[in-house]
Amino acid sequence: MELNSARRIILNKVGGDIYNEEYQSNLQKFITAVRDVESNSGINIYNESTTAAGDFQFKMLTSDGKKEGSAFQTGLQRIKNRYKKENINIPNWVEEAIEHNDPRKLTYQQQEELFLINLYEQVGTDNLIKGMLDGDMKKAMKLYAKFHHTKVNVVNDKEVIRKFNEAYSN
């Protein structure tokens, strides 16, 4: 498994061990489940009614039609903030994405990086990330619902439950 910057940060800062194979496996299960829920594993990458786009469905516009403050722009700013703290060079694609404002123009790896750093940078995620790394599917679902989807009751959706169960059974 390739450990991109986001995976390294999460596994090291929250998990305490970037080489823990169980943590790596559980992180991959979580990523797989969320991507499946959000875009049917990269098949449905645009929601016209919400302007959410990409594998992890980041909204490109705010409710009043502006790109500034959209979930996509917020996630990109969080990457910049975290990379600065970690002394990691901010890749060109981040600045380019701020301009083009379209997650679909990012590679899958860049979208994953955005998704993970966006979660990690939010206050209150550490306990849920730790639970997810430990293999606790309920905490993983709560992490997704509260900090990515932003509607906690999505954990009761039958399709969400099915897709998380499928990812976690492998």
Side-chain angles (χ1 to χ4, degrees), residues 77-92:
Q77 185 59 51
R78 286 178 173 149
I79 285 179
K80 288 175 70 173
N81 296 345
R82 175 50 44 193
Y83 281 15
K84 284 179 185 174
K85 289 177 187 171
E86 302 292 329
N87 292 317
I88 298 171
N89 290 331
I90 298 168
N92 291 337

Side-chain angles (χ1 to χ4, degrees), residues 28-119:
Q28 185 57 55
K29 289 174 184 178
F30 174 69
I31 293 165
T32 298
V34 172
R35 183 175 181 236
D36 193 19
V37 168
E38 289 293 310
S39 69
N40 199 20
S41 299
I43 295 171
N44 302 321
I45 58 169
Y46 185 66
N47 182 329
E48 196 169 316
S49 66
T50 66
T51 76
D55 287 68
F56 298 97
Q57 294 290 293
F58 278 87
K59 289 183 182 178
M60 298 183 291
L61 300 173
T62 61
S63 59
D64 58 356
K66 296 180 178 149
K67 87 174 188 178
E68 292 78 21
S70 69
F72 184 56
Q73 292 294 320
T74 299
L76 293 166
Q77 185 59 51
R78 286 178 173 149
I79 285 179
K80 288 175 70 173
N81 296 345
R82 175 50 44 193
Y83 281 15
K84 284 179 185 174
K85 289 177 187 171
E86 302 292 329
N87 292 317
I88 298 171
N89 290 331
I90 298 168
N92 291 337
W93 67 263
V94 175
E95 292 298 337
E96 291 167 3
I98 289 170
E99 290 304 312
H100 66 62
N101 196 44
D102 190 344
R104 296 168 294 183
K105 293 183 178 180
L106 302 178
T107 66
Y108 171 76
Q109 290 77 18
Q110 292 164 346
Q111 290 183 63
E112 181 185 295
E113 189 87 357
L114 173 70
F115 167 66
L116 292 174
I117 292 293
N118 188 60
L119 284 176

